[in-house]
Amino acid sequence: MVKMWSNAKVILRNGNCRVSQLSGILKVHTSSNENQHVATLEVDTVNVKPYNEIPGPSAFELVKSSSLPGGKYYKKDFVDFLSAFRQEYGDISKIPGVFGKNDIILVYDPEDFKTVFQTQGQYPIRRGIETIHHYRTKVRKDFYQGVIGFADQGKSWWDFRQKVNAVMMKPQITRKYVPSVDEVTQDFVKRLHSLRDKNMETPSDLYVELNMWALESIAQITLDTRLGIFDNSTNKNMHSLMNDLKVFFDLTYRLNFQLSFWKYFPTASYRKLTQSTDNMYKVIQHYVNIGIQKIKDDPDNEENEGVLKKLLEIDPKVATVMAMDALFAGVDSTSTATFSVLYVLAKNPEKQDKLRQELMKILPEKTSPLTVENMSNMPYLRACIKEALRLYPVTFGNFRSTGQDLVLKGYHIPKNTRILMGNQITQMEDKYFDKPYEFKPERWIRPPNSKMTCPVNATSHPFSYLPFGFGIRMCVGRRFAEMEIESLVSRLVRTYNIDWRYPDPKIKSLTINMPVSDLKLRLTELEE
């Protein structure tokens, strides 16, 4: 035992916490038995500052500066808001809760991220999705019947997640879909080829096209069904889903993160969100029903032995909710991530050429199949994807509620405090990444058999880069998303030289970061 200033014992029974003389945490020692977990905390009871001294504006100042024309945060993009907030208040600050919202503590130090994640408890709480939880537990409770999915919290979330993990987190399940996802990708590449204009450029609505590809891919994975979107791109259901997804992400961000009275009465924005969510889930339920009917019609077909069938065997309601979650959550996020990779490769032709050399060995012909075996030998491709998501992440950070009393940057943080970890800002700091504004995939290439999780040629902290979150609440669809991105980037880079000839795309930070300007890539077909 190291020397301590003071000891405090925390007894946890049935999720409750009793704290004695707690004002800081240096080290945690744990033991457990059937009924309780005991943590002995080494604490500094002298130097820790109280919660109410955390820097930040008053509630009135926040409303004035963010909601009124002329305010310094008025209409700022959320990432710009975070950057300005950090510049003014430092490495820890407080966004005060107003109009029924809770305070949010902002932190940017990976060591603080580590502290939050490693003490989040048995059932991590991820806030910022209250509107979705309300919709599923109040507005449409007859349909969800207590199975809330990713928006749930506590033990009921864990019960759902355990059932889903048994299927979606297994590598052998992911590998099953390599050929079928590659088939979707090759069909999409053919579509892009035919849509190019006389300058060999894609349509300006490339992001919509990527949405179509992502939806077709995730449907193939979760429903073992091709939707046929490329054959019928005028399908009203598909266009309705795409439009409602945009409304969903926009209003989910605004209602959960900006000033709103939706908790007190159904505002116009909340009614619009409810309507778009209704529309979206009607379309998604239609697609889910197609997948379920396919299994019923041919229950012995080995091609149907995938995600949906295995989840149906575990729990039909869980299967339906998970499929719906995957279809609506796996479209824009995967599209954004894929565009980020294509964009940085187009802007860095020497890196694109280096990647192409790797792909030529794996895909000697443009039509050579992608397989589980050859996809296991793509270190530079995976490095390019990691580096693209560092420069242009899908989300601005990670949300958690503290699982116990903590000390961050010398301040006491009570249990159940909402924490926003600003990964997007951290990922662009030279103290963690050498030359952070440069696209350097090589920083992620590590020696064979190395277990390193951070860049090999920088002083990066292992918690400085968390594109899929961390711990048991990390993204359940990570393996599938990575497979989809790898498939499309491989096919496009192997088939075309990719150029970008326009100003940088405009990215808007909503619930996720999304490109909102015209996107046009020039695809020049390679001879070999």
Side-chain angles (χ1 to χ4, degrees), residues 167-274:
V167 176
M168 296 193 68
M169 297 295 280
K170 288 186 176 180
Q172 59 268 35
I173 297 294
T174 308
R175 291 193 289 265
K176 172 190 181 297
Y177 289 97
V178 168
S180 56
V181 167
D182 186 42
E183 180 182 298
V184 172
T185 296
Q186 292 192 65
D187 288 348
F188 178 64
V189 171
K190 292 175 184 176
R191 175 177 171 81
L192 278 187
H193 186 90
S194 67
L195 291 175
R196 294 179 303 166
D197 62 17
K198 63 181 181 181
N199 297 318
M200 303 299 155
E201 292 183 334
T202 64
S204 60
D205 63 350
L206 174 62
Y207 190 69
V208 174
E209 294 293 328
L210 288 171
N211 279 175
M212 292 167 56
W213 160 75
L215 177 59
E216 188 81 7
S217 298
I218 198 64
Q220 177 64 56
I221 291 168
T222 58
L223 306 177
D224 282 294
T225 299
R226 286 293 298 267
L227 303 181
I229 292 175
F230 307 148
D231 300 326
N232 184 15
S233 59
T234 60
N235 182 284
K236 292 183 179 180
N237 276 343
M238 186 276 295
H239 284 284
S240 170
L241 180 60
M242 298 306 164
N243 291 333
D244 285 314
L245 277 168
K246 301 299 181 294
V247 173
F248 173 84
F249 283 118
D250 180 25
L251 293 181
T252 297
Y253 164 71
R254 284 202 272 154
L255 293 175
N256 287 288
F257 294 103
Q258 295 182 344
L259 301 181
S260 174
F261 296 97
W262 74 269
K263 289 185 177 180
Y264 301 99
F265 61 90
T267 63
S269 292
Y270 182 75
R271 291 195 301 271
K272 185 177 180 181
L273 175 63
T274 298

Side-chain angles (χ1 to χ4, degrees), residues 117-136:
F117 278 121
Q118 291 188 340
T119 59
Q120 60 187 340
Q122 185 177 6
Y123 308 123
I125 301 297
R126 184 179 68 186
R127 301 296 184 184
I129 46 180
E130 282 83 354
T131 50
I132 307 173
H133 190 271
H134 184 266
Y135 177 87
R136 296 184 177 189

Side-chain angles (χ1 to χ4, degrees), residues 453-470:
T453 58
C454 58
V456 298
N457 63 342
T459 58
S460 180
H461 191 290
F463 281 77
S464 63
Y465 176 82
L466 300 170
F468 296 96
F470 178 83

Side-chain angles (χ1 to χ4, degrees), residues 268-418:
S269 292
Y270 182 75
R271 291 195 301 271
K272 185 177 180 181
L273 175 63
T274 298
Q275 183 61 60
S276 70
T277 308
D278 281 344
N279 297 342
M280 185 169 58
Y281 279 115
K282 286 177 184 176
V283 174
I284 292 175
Q285 183 64 64
H286 167 73
Y287 291 142
V288 171
N289 289 341
I290 292 174
I292 293 174
Q293 189 60 48
K294 180 184 176 185
I295 293 172
K296 289 181 178 179
D297 291 343
D298 196 0
D300 298 324
N301 189 335
E302 290 186 1
E303 292 185 1
N304 294 334
E305 293 290 333
V307 169
L308 183 61
K309 184 175 181 181
K310 291 184 181 299
L311 285 175
L312 284 169
E313 291 170 351
I314 296 172
D315 186 322
K317 178 57 72 172
V318 167
T320 300
V321 173
M322 185 63 241
M324 296 174 77
D325 281 356
L327 261 65
F328 99 80
V331 175
D332 275 284
S333 56
T334 303
S335 300
T336 295
T338 304
F339 175 75
S340 296
V341 182
L342 296 173
Y343 172 68
V344 293
L345 288 171
K347 294 280 285 186
N348 295 271
E350 72 286 354
K351 307 297 184 185
Q352 184 183 154
D353 288 340
K354 185 174 180 178
L355 173 59
R356 188 171 292 112
Q357 293 306 309
E358 177 179 272
L359 294 172
M360 293 282 282
K361 299 174 184 177
I362 293 167
L363 302 171
E365 305 293 334
K366 293 177 184 178
T367 56
S368 297
L370 278 172
T371 66
V372 172
E373 290 72 28
N374 60 27
M375 287 188 77
S376 66
N377 189 31
M378 295 178 166
Y380 198 70
L381 171 62
R382 293 191 171 95
C384 288
I385 293 171
K386 286 184 176 181
E387 183 69 346
L389 295 184
R390 183 188 67 81
L391 289 167
Y392 299 98
V394 174
T395 63
F396 45 76
N398 287 287
F399 258 105
R400 288 293 187 273
S401 289
T402 52
Q404 64 182 73
D405 287 56
L406 299 176
V407 169
L408 301 176
K409 289 288 171 290
Y411 292 93
H412 172 225
I413 310 296
K415 182 180 178 180
N416 295 325
T417 300
R418 301 186 181 198

